[in-house]
Amino acid sequence: METAISTVLFIPTVAVTVLLFAAVIRRLLGVRVGPARTLAAGLLAMIVTGPIMVAFAPPDRTSVTAGEAFLLILAAASVAALIAMALLVILEVLLPTGSLPGPVEIWRGARRRIARTRRYWSIVRIALRHGLGRFLRGRPAPGPNSAAARRQLARSLRAALDEGGVTFVKVGQLLSTRRDLLPAEFIDELTALQDQATPVPWDDIAAVLAAELGEPVEQVFAEIDREPLAAASVAQVHAARLHDGTDVVVKVRRPGIATVVERDLDILSRLADTLEARTSWGRSFGARGLALGFAEALREELDFTVERDNLQTMAAALASSPDRGVRVPAPYPAFSSERVLVMGRLPGTALGAAAPLLDGFDDARRERLAAGLLDSMLDQVLVHGVFHADLHPGNLLLDGGNSLGMLDLGSVGRLDAVTRNAIGRLLEAVGRGDSVAASDALLHLVDRPDHVDERELQRAIGILIVRYAAPGSTAGVAAVTALLRTFTSYGLGVPAPVAAVFRAFATLEGTLGLLRPGFDLLGQARAAGGRRIAEALAPAHLRDTLEKELVALLPVLRGMPRRLDRIGETVEHGRLRFNVRLFSDDQDRRLLTGMFHQALLTVIGAAAGVMAIMLLGSGDGPQISTGVGLFPLLGYSLLIVSVVLVLRVLVVIFRSD
């Protein structure tokens, strides 16, 4: 009975003691430390308090008064807390709080790691089966680098990406637009990748529709075709009719595709990190940046609310511009969600399959269609800053009249006013053949390094203008490729929105060539840019621009006399002062903080070394156990701390980078 009572009383006492030590240690440290570490430090302090108190106690313990016993306990507890705090600080240096996951995170991470490993080995087997294993190890291709060898390698890459599934098919489609990175053989093969998939059974599609719309499909649509119009790897499209008789199309995301894509994106990100770290071609491609941009674009494509908003934005932009004969379907937000998009059905035939219809058009009509599409694209880029980033023939519908319908706005490009202005100045400079103005506009578009030879860049741009922008030249894609390679050779980084513009026009050239064979993209772009410049210089437009600028400047002009009067009065009375903020830049603050930390570590390490020498020369002090004194223990501990701190400073001083 007494044993049970003692146990019942002992457990709460230990718990209270540990919590008390933990609270004191956290308060004394003054920083947030993980609760598990704090409780562990409190438990350690409680364990070592007993031996320390025994070491502090005099040999004749019967003569110890109550006050002396209290002071003895307080001293032992203080030393124990200090030891626990020191160990906690050392643990924070070695393993900072948050660097180790908790039990729940470990369990979830293990499950994700197992699934990722299975998928990773599946991808590796696909790569090995198609002869791509040596590239994962960073080894160059054996034998001569001939066009035939590159073509065979491109076929193997296309087959591997096609077998890899939706994410890797999308990767191949993205790479097919990067003519600045890949040879022509790879571009030709990757362009042939088709984003097609086996249709999902209707019961699964109906379940998704019911879950997203909140009611059975029959109550939302008067009719819906159970056979899809098209089935891609991300979604499939069904024709339907609303109860008011409006013909619509219903775009439904494939069930479970988001989980597959997220797993593959995680693997793709890790693979890109590995390729950039271990291979020269991965570093030259910027594999990590490509993977991040691709992941963001693909996640947007999976979220149909993004496409719904893009449709509304694009419709408003087209409505505010002159009629170029280009339309977009109207979305129905009430019936749309993240996995379902309902939009109006545009009449027409996909441009890729409209060759018989185009053959019936005369050259002038085909020229008008192509010019209208190019003008619309220029309006989107230069005026509205929202443009369709992938206008390939499959994303355009051709009706029997003189209009085109744009589809698949899941991923659009967006440009700010400064970028739009720089692109406009670039087109204007190319039209005039002014390489100096063109290079200035380009430097406003790209991420420039610390040092760039602007004179050499101007000469390179001038050569490109003479070669590709001369009247009669039709080398549109070649011009874009040469320009992007010029960026790379001068160390100029192309921001993602600007790269999207170049890719969009490179893709658009093939579409324009299908509408009107031999269509001069650069010549028409120069002409369209000239028309826009003439419109901008028209008296009515200049008056509107001047009025807008004056309205924007009016508050500044209104407050200018008052500010000048205050400055004059301050100068007159000798109260003019200049306030300069030192170390306002983040890099300066980081440099100063790093230097201060190194100096502080040096001082603390030296002080700990001096204290260690003094303690080691002061005898044994109180005995903690047989043969172990307190002073040598503390001295050697401080000596270890001193050596560690000094080594931390020295490794920073002698580090080569």
Side-chain angles (χ1 to χ4, degrees):
M1 184 66 179
E2 293 179 358
T3 304
I5 295 175
S6 300
T7 304
V8 171
L9 294 177
F10 176 74
I11 294 177
T13 303
V14 171
V16 171
T17 305
V18 171
L19 292 176
L20 182 61
F21 268 121
V24 171
I25 290 171
R26 177 176 286 189
R27 173 63 68 178
L28 291 176
L29 282 177
V31 296
R32 294 184 61 86
V33 184
R37 298 180 182 220
T38 308
L39 291 176
L43 181 62
L44 175 64
M46 190 205 71
I47 293 174
V48 301
T49 299
I52 294 175
M53 189 168 59
V54 171
F56 283 175
D60 187 8
R61 301 177 184 177
T62 58
S63 61
V64 177
T65 64
E68 292 174 343
F70 175 75
L71 293 177
L72 181 63
I73 296 174
L74 183 61
S78 300
V79 174
L82 289 176
I83 294 174
M85 289 171 59
L87 293 177
L88 192 59
V89 171
I90 294 174
L91 184 62
E92 283 293 321
V93 173
L94 299 177
L95 293 173
T97 299
S99 59
L100 294 178
V104 177
E105 288 78 8
I106 291 177
W107 168 249
R108 292 177 179 174
R111 295 180 59 186
R112 289 195 298 266
R113 193 174 296 109
I114 292 172
R116 185 170 60 245
T117 302
R118 291 175 179 171
R119 178 60 173 162
Y120 180 77
W121 282 115
S122 174
I123 294 170
V124 170
R125 285 195 298 269
I126 292 173
L128 294 176
R129 187 160 53 248
H130 293 281
L132 303 176
R134 61 181 182 273
F135 295 97
L136 298 179
R137 296 187 294 269
R139 297 179 182 176
N145 186 21
S146 61
R150 290 196 300 269
R151 192 173 297 109
Q152 180 59 41
L153 179 59
R155 293 194 192 99
S156 299
L157 178 61
R158 179 183 62 80
L161 292 175
D162 199 5
E163 188 177 348
V166 51
T167 307
F168 294 92
V169 169
K170 296 291 184 182
V171 170
Q173 292 174 347
L174 172 65
L175 292 176
S176 68
T177 65
R178 296 304 303 264
R179 298 177 180 270
D180 57 319
L181 299 180
L182 296 176
E185 295 85 1
F186 286 83
I187 299 299
D188 295 339
E189 284 293 333
L190 295 179
T191 303
L193 279 173
Q194 298 297 320
D195 190 13
Q196 302 294 330
T198 304
V200 178
W202 169 250
D203 292 340
D204 297 336
I205 294 296
V208 173
L209 289 172
E212 293 296 313
L213 300 176
E215 50 187 340
V217 178
E218 294 77 11
Q219 296 183 14
V220 178
F221 304 104
E223 298 179 18
I224 185 167
D225 190 355
R226 299 192 174 195
E227 294 297 325
L229 292 173
S233 55
V234 171
Q236 65 186 46
V237 179
H238 292 260
R241 179 173 295 150
L242 299 179
H243 288 289
D244 61 0
T246 304
D247 289 328
V248 296
V249 292
V250 183
K251 187 175 181 179
V252 185
R253 195 173 75 188
R254 299 176 74 92
I257 194 64
T259 303
V260 175
V261 167
E262 285 297 331
R263 181 194 59 197
D264 284 352
L265 288 178
D266 183 36
I267 294 173
L268 191 64
S269 174
R270 296 170 184 271
L271 183 61
D273 292 341
T274 302
L275 292 177
E276 187 161 331
R278 299 183 180 180
T279 65
S280 58
W281 60 271
R283 286 188 293 273
S284 64
F285 281 8
R288 183 180 294 110
L290 285 175
L292 291 176
F294 169 74
E296 181 180 358
L298 188 52
R299 289 190 180 101
E300 282 192 359
E301 188 175 346
L302 289 175
D303 187 357
F304 290 167
T305 60
V306 174
E307 184 172 358
R308 177 200 64 196
D309 297 339
N310 290 342
L311 286 170
Q312 294 175 328
T313 303
M314 186 64 70
L318 294 178
S320 62
S321 297
D323 187 8
R324 310 291 187 186
V326 177
R327 299 172 298 162
V328 293
Y332 289 80
F335 302 126
S336 300
S337 65
E338 184 178 346
R339 295 195 294 169
V340 174
L341 176 63
V342 178
M343 48 191 167
R345 185 173 184 179
L346 295 179
T349 306
L351 186 59
L357 185 61
L358 287 172
D359 292 340
F361 294 174
D362 57 23
D363 291 343
R365 189 174 182 182
R366 299 181 71 161
E367 184 79 17
R368 284 195 302 271
L369 283 172
L373 180 59
L374 177 60
D375 282 341
S376 176
M377 190 66 174
L378 290 172
D379 284 341
Q380 295 169 35
V381 171
L382 299 177
V383 179
H384 306 292
V386 179
F387 62 95
H388 198 302
D390 191 20
L391 273 181
H392 61 76
N395 284 338
L396 283 170
L397 289 178
L398 176 65
D399 65 8
N402 295 317
S403 63
L404 295 167
M406 290 194 303
L407 305 176
D408 194 8
L409 275 79
S411 180
V412 301
R414 291 182 173 83
L415 302 172
D416 59 89
V418 176
T419 304
R420 297 200 304 270
N421 183 43
I423 293 175
R425 289 190 287 113
L426 174 62
L427 287 176
E428 178 187 358
V430 170
R432 299 197 318 265
D434 188 347
S435 62
V436 176
S439 63
D440 290 341
L442 284 174
L443 290 176
H444 281 87
L445 285 174
V446 300
D447 298 328
R448 56 187 299 174
D450 295 334
H451 302 285
V452 59
D453 192 341
E454 295 190 20
R455 295 287 299 275
E456 287 296 326
L457 179 62
Q458 290 171 6
R459 293 190 183 98
I461 297 299
I463 293 173
L464 291 180
I465 290 176
V466 172
R467 181 177 180 183
Y468 295 111
S473 175
T474 59
V477 174
V480 172
T481 302
L483 183 61
L484 292 175
R485 288 179 177 168
T486 301
F487 290 163
T488 304
S489 63
Y490 283 88
L492 303 175
V494 183
V498 178
V501 174
F502 289 124
R503 290 198 302 269
F505 278 100
T507 304
L508 181 64
E509 188 192 35
T511 304
L512 295 174
L514 188 61
L515 280 171
R516 176 68 169 91
F519 186 80
D520 185 1
L521 172 62
L522 290 178
Q524 291 291 334
R526 286 196 303 269
R531 289 196 302 270
R532 282 168 174 77
I533 295 171
E535 293 172 359
L537 296 177
H541 192 277
L542 284 177
R543 184 173 61 252
D544 293 339
T545 303
L546 182 60
E547 290 177 356
K548 292 178 181 178
E549 293 294 334
L550 288 176
V551 169
L553 288 174
L554 188 59
V556 178
L557 296 175
R558 185 179 298 168
M560 187 65 69
R562 188 164 56 255
R563 291 190 177 92
L564 291 175
D565 182 64
R566 290 176 181 173
I567 293 174
E569 183 180 353
T570 303
V571 173
E572 181 181 358
H573 292 84
R575 297 195 302 268
L576 183 63
R577 294 179 298 178
F578 292 94
N579 185 17
V580 179
R581 296 183 59 187
L582 298 176
F583 304 107
S584 59
D585 186 76
D586 290 339
Q587 294 184 355
D588 294 339
R589 288 197 297 269
R590 285 195 296 268
L591 176 63
L592 182 63
T593 303
M595 295 173 61
F596 179 75
H597 285 173
Q598 298 303 321
L600 185 61
L601 287 178
T602 304
V603 172
I604 294 175
V610 172
M611 293 175 62
I613 294 173
M614 293 176 61
L615 286 171
L616 291 175
S618 300
D620 291 341
Q623 294 293 317
I624 296 179
S625 64
T626 304
V628 179
L630 178 62
F631 289 170
L633 178 62
L634 293 178
Y636 284 118
S637 300
L638 287 174
L639 185 61
I640 293 173
V641 171
S642 174
V643 172
V644 170
L645 294 180
V646 171
L647 289 177
R648 283 175 63 90
V649 175
L650 290 178
V651 75
V652 173
I653 293 174
F654 293 109
R655 191 170 53 185
S656 59
D657 57 350

